[in-house]
Amino acid sequence: MKQNIMDIDTVALDEENKALVIIDQTKLPGTVELISLTEAKEIWDAIYLLQVRGAPAIGVAAAIGMYVLAARYDTTDVNEFYKMFKRDKEYLDSARPTAVNLSWALNRMDEVCQACIDYKDSVEEIVSTLHNEAITIREEDVEMCRRIGENGLELIKPGDGILTHCNAGKLATVKYGTATAPIYLGQEKGYNLKVFCDETRPLLQGARLTAFELQESGIDTTLICDNMSAMVMKNGWVNAIFVGADRIAANGDAANKIGTSVVAAVAKQYGVPMYVCAPSSTIDMSTASGDDIVIEERKAEEVTEMWYEKRMAPEGVKVFNPAFDVTDHELIAGIVTERGVARPPYSESLAQMFKAE
Ligand code: MRU
């Protein structure tokens, strides 16, 4: 029997073989293939090539990946172990710059590693602690997304039309997704939501991933090209927009997949509220505003040739291919986290959210 994508782990640890196991998202929706990774270069490539992608999933993959690598270091000397750990941590951190969850998860692994060293633990004990931290990060992701879903569901009503951009779905997290969490929870409650997925040029995460997972889940799904969102909003078919984020600055500016800020500007024009759904680990209070967020630029071929049978742009044409853009906080109606929904002014509500830390 064909397995539903929702029942397959996006990111997992194969305990027996000490391997990071991911769904290779570059093959979706045509082929569902799990790949098993144990080497630093393989894990780096998987993140860079978007075999595992979406900010929370990248963070979980990096945490499990760090454990997998550390479990293989052939030394009992703690200093030597930590040198190798630091080398691999920095290497994995260089795979993609925009999603803060990558460095957030790696820093968490580093902090527990350092605490073990301070405590004079053996290498074996450190590896065991790293294992537990990676598992905790993964479990927390499921819990955080579920709570994002509960908080997001309060913002919509049965029968609503929802528009989403890129894939902030189950495939971008361990389960539920962030932007899709209210949609999945709504489905559990019989909300009968109608979801519009932007196809999301140039890498088609909306078409290949979001439309796929929503449809497999039995949700009323309509795929549109990116340049059709104004039309569906003008027609009155969209009651709310849910998107994810890769990094949210302290003032509420949110970096997400390229094109998100266009959706936000159009949403303002048509009076549709735009909500950014993200775990608190995506909020980077050390980044003051969107101007300070590093935006990844990717290869020109993603725009000129990828997906086409033959190249669709003149040879030698200049190409600008930023993978993300920043939505100005003024265009965001709420930031939906596991801790609650932050409202403008974000410099105050986000500071309040992190006050106890
Ligand atoms: O380049 P990608 O596919 O990793 O970009 C993903 C996004 O922009 C998502 O919307 C974001 O990471 C949030 S995922 C819950």
Side-chain angles (χ1 to χ4, degrees):
M1 203 179 78
K2 187 176 157 274
Q3 228 187 333
N4 190 296
I5 192 71
M6 301 307 281
D7 301 326
I8 305 172
D9 286 333
T10 308
V11 192
L13 170 64
D14 172 352
E15 297 273 4
E16 202 182 317
N17 299 306
K18 292 193 176 55
L20 165 66
V21 179
I22 57 167
I23 300 173
D24 181 351
Q25 300 195 31
T26 60
K27 304 248 170 74
L28 295 175
T31 307
V32 180
E33 187 180 313
L34 292 176
I35 50 174
S36 195
L37 314 169
T38 54
E39 312 264 324
K41 170 89 170 74
E42 287 176 331
I43 299 169
W44 190 95
D45 281 349
I47 296 172
Y48 177 73
L49 296 171
L50 275 57
Q51 288 174 304
V52 59
R53 36 109 356 245
I58 291 172
V60 176
I64 296 177
M66 225 30 257
Y67 157 69
V68 162
L69 297 176
R72 283 182 159 67
Y73 298 155
D74 188 16
T75 182
T76 50
D77 181 275
V78 170
N79 285 333
E80 204 184 338
F81 173 90
Y82 192 53
K83 245 191 228 161
M84 294 193 253
F85 181 93
K86 278 294 225 196
R87 177 202 60 202
D88 286 341
K89 179 197 158 193
E90 273 159 35
Y91 177 55
L92 293 189
D93 204 10
S94 69
R96 295 190 78 190
T98 307
V100 69
N101 306 59
L102 177 58
S103 54
W104 171 86
L106 290 169
N107 286 338
R108 257 182 78 165
M109 296 297 277
D110 195 3
E111 276 158 29
V112 296
C113 195
Q114 285 184 43
C116 290
I117 293 169
D118 291 347
Y119 204 69
K120 307 259 176 285
D121 279 350
S122 66
V123 164
E124 199 183 331
E125 287 165 328
I126 301 174
V127 169
S128 159
T129 305
L130 288 172
H131 167 271
N132 295 346
E133 189 68 5
I135 297 297
T136 305
I137 288 174
R138 185 178 183 279
E139 283 168 1
E140 280 176 10
D141 188 69
V142 178
E143 187 48 35
M144 284 194 286
C145 288
R146 171 130 201 133
R147 280 200 253 135
I148 289 169
E150 285 162 1
N151 294 333
L153 199 55
E154 308 258 306
L155 304 167
I156 53 175
K157 52 184 195 323
D160 270 356
I162 310 291
L163 186 138
T164 189
H165 187 77
C166 190
N167 174 265
K170 170 239 154 69
L171 289 163
T173 64
V174 177
K175 202 175 170 177
Y176 301 116
T178 59
T180 55
I183 298 168
Y184 289 129
L185 263 58
Q187 192 195 27
E188 281 175 23
K189 294 189 158 65
Y191 264 47
N192 196 21
L193 301 167
K194 290 162 185 49
V195 184
F196 293 91
C197 304
D198 281 355
E199 71 174 347
T200 317
R201 283 275 298 153
L203 293 182
L204 307 183
Q205 289 93 332
R208 295 188 304 107
L209 309 175
T210 310
F212 176 53
E213 61 166 88
L214 292 178
Q215 195 181 45
E216 288 254 307
S217 307
I219 287 164
D220 184 326
T221 307
T222 304
L223 177 64
I224 56 172
C225 298
D226 298 333
N227 51 8
M228 297 170 188
S229 61
M231 171 107 177
V232 295
M233 285 191 236
K234 189 172 184 188
N235 284 354
W237 295 344
V238 181
N239 301 90
I241 292 161
F242 287 136
V243 293
D246 284 80
R247 191 181 297 249
I248 300 171
N251 71 344
D253 289 351
N256 191 49
K257 180 51 53 192
I258 190 72
T260 304
S261 66
V262 180
V263 175
V266 174
K268 184 177 182 197
Q269 166 77 13
Y270 293 108
V272 179
M274 160 109 169
Y275 298 105
V276 173
C277 305
S280 53
S281 51
T282 303
I283 300 170
D284 179 6
M285 295 301 281
S286 69
T287 294
S289 81
D291 292 343
D292 306 311
I293 298 176
V294 178
I295 300 293
E296 175 184 7
E297 279 190 46
R298 295 183 65 89
K299 286 193 287 197
E301 291 74 33
E302 290 181 353
V303 178
T304 54
E305 352 192 319
M306 210 163 164
W307 318 115
Y308 300 128
E309 257 181 49
K310 59 178 187 353
R311 189 182 164 92
M312 277 293 149
E315 289 291 348
V317 71
K318 280 195 284 179
V319 173
F320 176 48
N321 184 20
F324 302 95
D325 61 19
V326 174
T327 298
D328 193 285
H329 60 273
E330 285 185 1
L331 299 176
I332 300 170
I335 298 176
V336 186
T337 76
E338 79 283 5
R339 301 183 188 188
V341 182
R343 297 284 191 175
Y346 295 110
S347 40
E348 284 169 26
S349 56
L350 294 182
Q352 182 67 26
M353 194 179 266
F354 286 91
K355 207 167 81 182
E357 284 175 15

